[in-house]
Amino acid sequence: MCGKRHKRSFSRLEVVLIVFLVLMIAVTMALLVLHFLTQENSSSNGKLSYFDTAHHSSLPSGGLAGIEGGYRRRERRCKSHRLTAQKYFSHGVISASNYDDPLPTQKPSNGVSGGYLLGAGRADCTGPVAEIPLMGYANPDQVGSGLLTRLYSRAFIMAEPDSSKRVVFVSIDIGMVSQRLRLEVLKELKSKYGELYRQDNVILSGTHTHSGPGGYFQYTLFWITSKGLIKPSLDAIVKGIVKSIDIAHQNLKRGRLFINRGTVENSQINRSPYSYLQNPASEQSRYSSNTDKEMVMLKMVDENGHDLGLISWFAVHPVSMNNTNHLVNSDNVGYASLLFEQEKNKGMLPGEGSFVAAFASSNLGDVSPNTKGPFCVNTGESCDNPQSTCPMGGAAMCMAMGPGTDMFDSTRIIGQNIYSKAKELYANASQEITGPLSSAHQWVNMSDVQVELNATHTVKTCKPALGYSFAAGTIDGVGAFNFTQGSVEGDPFWDQIRDQLLGKPSNETKACHEPKPVLFSTGEMTWPHPWHPDIVDVQIATIGSLAIVAVPGEFTTMSGRRLREAVKLEFDSHGTAGMDVVIAGLCNVYTHYITTYEEYQVVQRYEAASTIYGPHTLSAYLQLYRGLARAIATNTVQDLPSGPEPPFFNITSFTLVPAVTSDRTPVNKTFGDVLQEVRQHYRVGEVAEVTFVSANPRNSAENMTEHNFLTVETYVNGSGKWQVVRNDASWDTRFYWTKGSFGQSNATIEWHIPNGTEPGIYRIRYFGHYKKILMAINPFEGISSTFEITSL
C-alpha cells in the first residue's frame, strides 16, 4: 500500500550511519550553544530592524491589533471609498473574498508616451568556490572545490518617463533568495537611494541553480545544510545584487518593451506525475501536458531600437548538474544566459558587455530537466513508480538522468534548447507593452492565515513542518537512509530519535498538517533561532499589461496555473482585462514548495511533504495575490496594510566551515609554479590541462577580490601581444582545486577546446591569492608553457 511502512532490521552500515548522524547533530547543537551563550545581543529579543519608524510611519504600533486600529483610523479619512478595516484585516493579510462592491476602477492608459526608462545591469556574485557547501541538494558531501561558470546578478529597471514610478526585477544565479539576503539588499539600497528602491518595487528572484555556494540564510534549518551563516558568501551575493542594480540605474535610457511567448520542447518532464494525476480530471483536460512548456520573454530596446536586454520566464529545475558535482556553476538556465549574452555582446568575454539576458525561474516545483526519466542506477530498469524506489537498493538507487551522456552534456543541451527558443522569440517580438507601472507588497504571517474557501467554509494555514517524504529527496537528488517518497505514515524509530533530539510535534501541528506525517515540526523549533520563517513576502509588480507575480517558493505546475488564472481573473473583473501574468519563482524569502490541495493528499511525495504551511497553503496564496491584484486594479495599493515586519537576527557570522589556514608550497616550489605541464600540441575537441601549485581559493573571496582564476590566451602574430579568449566564466573552461595536507594544494585548469577555435599558439594563466601566518593576503599567478592548436 502507498506509503505503508513495515518493521525492519537495520544493516550494520545503516546503524553506523545513524550513530554518525546523531553524533553530528549533537556536535552541531553543542557548537550552537557555545556560540549563542557568548554572543552579545544588541536588543532584548535578539532581533534588529532594517526599516526605521519613518519608513513605516503609516504602520501603527501594537502589533496586529495596532495595524487593525490604524486602518480603522484611516477608514475615517477615506470614508468615501467605503473601505472598512474589518474587510481588509484578517490576521495581518488581505482576504480576497472580504470585499463588498468593487471600488471605481482605474484602467491603465493605452500607452506611455515615449515608452519607458529602461536600464539593465549585470554583476558577479560568485563568492567562495571552495570548502563551502553548495545550496540545493542538502547533501553534506557536496562541497565546492572549483568553478565551471561564474554566478551573476542580472538587474532590470523599468521606470515611467517622469521617473515617478519604477519596478526593479533582479534574477540571481543562486539557489533561492533568503530573507536575510533580501533585508541586507534593501538596507544597502535605502542607504544609496533613499525611498527610490523599496520592498514593494524591488523583486529578487533566484534562478534555483543547485550549484551555488550556500551560507546566506538566517533560519536554523538552512544553517544545518549550509554549515551556518557564511559571511563571505552572503557578502558576495549582496554586493553583486546591489552592484547590478547600480549599473542598471546608471544605464537608464528611454526605450520600449515587447513581449512574446512560445513553446519549449524536449526540455522538461514532471518528476511527480502521480501527484499531478490527483488533480481533477476536468482541470487536467484543459492542458496538453503535465508541465508548463510556455516561455514568456520580455524584450528591451532603446528608443533607437538598439538591444538592451531580455527577461525570460520558463519552468524548469536547474538540476542538470547533479548532486555529485563540486564545481560552482549556474546550470542550464545560466548557460542559456551566457549563450545569449555572448551572441549580443560580440567580441566580449563572458560577464562583459552591456546586453543582459536573464533566464528566470517560474513554477518549476515538479519540473525536471532530466528528460530520460528515473532509472535504477544499479540495474538500469525504470523506477517511475509512486514511491520512486528500486527493487534492489530502494529509493537511493532511483535517479533521473538525461538528455546527455553526462551532467555537463545534459546542462549544455537543455541550456541550448532554452536559448534557441528565446532567440527566436526575441527576434520576432512585436507586441509592445505600454501603460503605467505599479507594485503591491505585503508581509504576511503565513503560519496563521484565515482562508475563506467559500461563503460557509473557512480554513487556516499551519505552523511550518516538513513531512517524512522531505527526507526522501527527489529523483533529481535522492535523500538519505532510504526514506521514500509517498510516505503517509511516520516511523516509530525516526520519531523517537526526533523526539529526543529536537522535540515532539504538538497535536495541533500534526492535526493541521494531516495527512502529512510530520518529521520535523520546524514551526515549533525556535532555538537558537526559528527554523523556518513565519513572515513571508507576497508581491506583484505590473508593467503596463504585464503582471509579475513574485512567489516565495516553488509552485508546482498546477499550483502555478491556478495562481496565474486567479490573478488574471481578478484583474479582468476590475477593468484591467488582457493582462499577461507570469510567475517569478523563489523570490524574496524561501518557503520550500507549494502544491495543490489534491497533490497534498494521499500521495504525499517530496513536494507535498515540503509544503510547510499545510494543505491550504495554495488557497492562502490565491487569496493573498488576488488581494494584491485587486489593489493594483482599483488603484488602492496605498491602503494595503504592510503587515508584520520580518525579523532580522543579530548574527554577523557563524559557521562550522573551518577558517582558512596559512598556505604552503612544496619544497623548492613557489605559488603558481607548474606541477604538470600542457602538451605541446592539441586538436579541436581535445582537452588542454595544466596543474599549478595553488593556494586556497577562499582567500580571493574573503578578500572581496573580483578577479578571474584563469584565462586562456592566444598569441597575436605581428603585435607580440597575448589576447585573452577565455576566462573562468567560459563554459569550456574548468577550474579544479584539490586540497592537500599541511596547507598545500593544487589547482588544475582544463580547457575543452571547442569547435571553431582558431589554429595558433596559446597559453593558460592562473591567478590566485595566498595567505601566510601573520601576513596579509597576497596575489600570485602562474603561466603554462605555450601550446599549439591545429585544425582537425
Side-chain angles (χ1 to χ4, degrees), residues 86-130:
Q86 181 181 3
K87 294 171 187 172
Y88 267 113
F89 186 80
S90 174
H91 294 267
V93 306
I94 292 293
S95 171
S97 55
N98 262 351
Y99 291 86
D100 289 333
D101 297 331
L103 299 175
T105 60
Q106 177 174 334
K107 295 180 71 173
S109 62
N110 290 329
V112 175
S113 177
Y116 301 98
L117 293 175
L118 303 176
R122 176 187 55 252
D124 187 281
C125 63
T126 305
V129 302

Side-chain angles (χ1 to χ4, degrees), residues 433-704:
I433 290 181
T434 59
L437 306 181
S438 187
S439 56
H441 171 277
Q442 286 182 295
W443 287 303
V444 180
N445 182 1
M446 277 299 295
S447 297
D448 191 22
V449 178
Q450 300 290 335
V451 185
E452 295 189 6
L453 296 180
N454 52 47
T456 60
H457 288 80
T458 301
V459 294
K460 68 182 292 296
T461 54
C462 313
K463 290 182 179 180
L466 291 163
Y468 262 76
S469 294
F470 164 77
T474 74
I475 59 173
D476 293 324
V478 298
F481 302 111
N482 228 16
F483 282 86
T484 60
Q485 297 196 65
S487 297
V488 293
E489 294 183 3
D491 185 301
F493 174 80
W494 290 112
D495 284 350
Q496 187 174 14
I497 291 178
R498 175 206 59 208
D499 294 349
Q500 294 297 319
L501 289 177
L502 303 172
K504 187 176 182 180
S506 68
N507 290 333
E508 178 186 4
T509 292
K510 289 192 289 186
C512 189
H513 281 269
E514 286 184 350
K516 176 201 295 179
V518 173
L519 179 61
F520 299 123
S521 182
T522 53
E524 297 174 314
M525 297 158 63
T526 58
W527 190 90
H529 285 299
W531 282 49
H532 264 146
D534 289 321
I535 309 305
V536 172
D537 295 70
V538 291
Q539 184 179 19
I540 295 178
T542 57
I543 306 160
S545 59
L546 174 66
I548 303 173
V549 181
V551 299
E554 305 178 54
F555 277 61
T556 62
T557 297
M558 196 63 85
S559 293
R561 288 168 175 170
R562 291 184 189 178
L563 178 60
R564 283 196 300 264
E565 185 172 39
V567 169
K568 184 174 178 59
L569 286 173
E570 198 67 38
F571 278 115
D572 288 348
S573 65
H574 291 86
T576 54
M579 294 290 286
D580 283 296
V581 180
V582 299
I583 293 175
L586 300 127
C587 293
N588 302 332
V589 57
Y590 185 59
T591 62
H592 295 268
Y593 284 74
I594 299 91
T595 66
T596 68
Y597 178 82
E598 295 84 358
E599 291 165 355
Y600 191 94
Q601 307 297 312
V602 186
V603 178
Q604 267 292 313
R605 282 176 62 85
Y606 175 83
E607 294 82 12
S610 304
T611 298
I612 63 174
Y613 300 114
H616 302 294
T617 300
L618 176 60
S619 296
Y621 280 126
L622 295 180
Q623 178 174 282
L624 290 161
Y625 283 104
R626 285 176 58 202
L628 297 180
R630 181 185 294 113
I632 292 174
T634 58
N635 198 28
T636 57
V637 172
Q638 70 278 2
D639 295 315
L640 285 173
S642 297
E645 188 174 306
F648 178 85
F649 302 122
N650 184 29
I651 310 154
T652 56
S653 182
F654 167 65
T655 178
L656 299 179
V657 176
V660 179
T661 59
S662 59
D663 297 292
R664 293 184 174 88
T665 64
V667 177
N668 298 324
K669 296 288 185 181
T670 188
F671 295 106
D673 282 355
V674 174
L675 294 174
Q676 180 178 328
E677 269 289 8
V678 293
R679 303 201 313 260
Q680 291 183 335
H681 300 280
Y682 292 94
R683 293 180 181 271
V684 169
E686 294 183 327
V687 180
E689 180 179 327
V690 58
T691 300
F692 297 93
V693 175
S694 180
N696 197 318
R698 286 170 57 193
N699 293 330
S700 302
E702 295 188 11
N703 198 37
M704 293 303 290

Side-chain angles (χ1 to χ4, degrees), residues 712-717 719 721-726 751 758-763:
V712 178
E713 302 172 356
T714 185
Y715 185 75
V716 181
N717 289 326
S719 69
K721 296 181 179 179
W722 291 90
Q723 178 184 347
V724 176
V725 295
R726 294 289 190 276
W751 179 31
E758 293 290 332
I761 304 300
Y762 291 82
R763 70 182 185 184

Side-chain angles (χ1 to χ4, degrees), residues 419-442:
Y419 155 73
S420 296
K421 176 54 65 172
K423 183 177 179 180
E424 172 192 325
L425 296 178
Y426 191 90
N428 298 315
S430 59
Q431 179 186 341
E432 185 167 7
I433 290 181
T434 59
L437 306 181
S438 187
S439 56
H441 171 277
Q442 286 182 295

Side-chain angles (χ1 to χ4, degrees), residues 129-355:
V129 302
E131 300 186 311
I132 306 299
L134 301 185
M135 187 65 212
Y137 290 111
N139 180 355
D141 295 327
Q142 193 183 20
V143 176
S145 61
L147 183 67
L148 175 60
T149 59
R150 285 199 164 267
L151 309 180
Y152 293 101
S153 173
R154 294 175 171 90
F156 304 85
I157 300 176
M158 287 71 67
E160 293 184 355
D162 62 0
S163 201
S164 59
K165 292 183 178 180
R166 56 185 62 197
V167 168
V168 183
F169 182 82
V170 189
S171 177
I172 313 121
D173 289 331
I174 55 175
M176 62 284 289
V177 176
S178 74
Q179 189 170 82
R180 177 62 179 258
L181 177 61
R182 178 163 167 82
L183 294 176
E184 295 264 17
V185 168
L186 290 174
K187 176 190 176 185
E188 292 294 318
L189 292 176
K190 184 170 183 177
S191 68
K192 284 191 171 189
Y193 299 103
E195 299 301 313
L196 190 60
Y197 300 123
R198 313 168 303 273
Q199 70 268 15
D200 64 297
N201 68 357
V202 174
I203 298 174
L204 304 181
S205 174
T207 63
H208 204 37
T209 175
H210 284 43
S211 298
Y216 55 93
F217 294 80
Q218 68 174 7
Y219 290 98
T220 304
L221 179 74
F222 305 109
W223 286 3
I224 294 173
T225 57
S226 297
K227 297 184 180 178
L229 178 66
I230 304 170
K231 194 172 189 301
S233 184
L234 174 66
D235 288 348
I237 303 172
V238 171
K239 180 181 178 182
I241 293 171
V242 173
K243 185 176 179 179
S244 69
I245 295 173
D246 289 341
I247 294 170
H249 179 85
Q250 295 160 7
N251 289 341
L252 280 170
K253 60 182 68 175
R254 282 189 176 270
R256 302 165 69 190
L257 294 174
F258 298 88
I259 192 170
N260 203 357
R261 58 193 65 75
T263 301
V264 182
E265 298 289 355
N266 305 316
S267 298
Q268 46 170 215
I269 61 170
N270 192 305
R271 72 184 186 191
S272 286
Y274 297 94
S275 297
Y276 182 89
L277 289 172
Q278 303 307 307
N279 293 304
S282 58
E283 184 177 31
Q284 294 180 51
S285 67
R286 297 169 53 197
Y287 305 99
S288 60
S289 173
N290 60 6
T291 60
D292 282 337
K293 296 181 180 297
E294 184 177 69
M295 172 186 287
V296 178
M297 191 274 307
L298 187 64
K299 174 180 179 178
M300 302 177 182
V301 298
D302 68 17
E303 59 185 346
N304 297 316
H306 298 142
D307 297 322
L308 297 177
L310 73 87
I311 309 173
S312 163
W313 290 274
F314 176 63
V316 67
H317 251 85
V319 290
S320 293
M321 300 294 293
N322 62 42
N323 64 7
T324 67
N325 166 61
H326 294 273
L327 298 182
V328 169
N329 70 87
S330 53
D331 213 281
N332 46 43
V333 292
Y335 181 56
S337 289
L338 292 177
L339 289 175
F340 214 118
E341 288 175 349
Q342 289 196 270
E343 168 72 20
K344 292 296 183 179
N345 297 316
K346 296 290 187 184
M348 298 286 188
L349 292 167
E352 298 177 354
S354 62
F355 186 90

